[in-house]
Amino acid sequence: MNSPFFYIQPNDYIIVKPLKQKTWRTGVTGVQSVATIMTAISLITTLLVLSKTL
């Protein structure tokens, strides 16, 4: 632990790989996935309401 490699020094670079984003194949990002799912739920709800009024 006395080695200088264990401590961050001025002008050091810290490289971190980004985590892969999980999707349900409904969008590129999580926000797009949620938007797609909410649109589908809205469509189903609208169809159910319309079918009951006919």
Side-chain angles (χ1 to χ4, degrees):
M1 293 300 276
N2 292 330
S3 171
F5 297 108
F6 288 107
Y7 298 100
I8 298 173
Q9 301 292 324
N11 298 321
D12 282 354
Y13 287 98
I14 300 174
I15 300 172
V16 179
K17 286 185 180 179
L19 295 174
K20 290 186 178 180
Q21 199 167 27
K22 296 180 182 180
T23 63
W24 296 316
R25 304 269 187 225
T26 56
V28 176
T29 64
V31 173
Q32 289 177 343
S33 296
V34 170
T36 303
I37 292 168
M38 293 303 291
T39 301
I41 290 171
S42 175
L43 176 65
I44 292 168
T45 304
T46 302
L47 291 174
L48 289 173
V49 169
L50 287 175
S51 68
K52 288 185 180 183
T53 59
L54 295 176

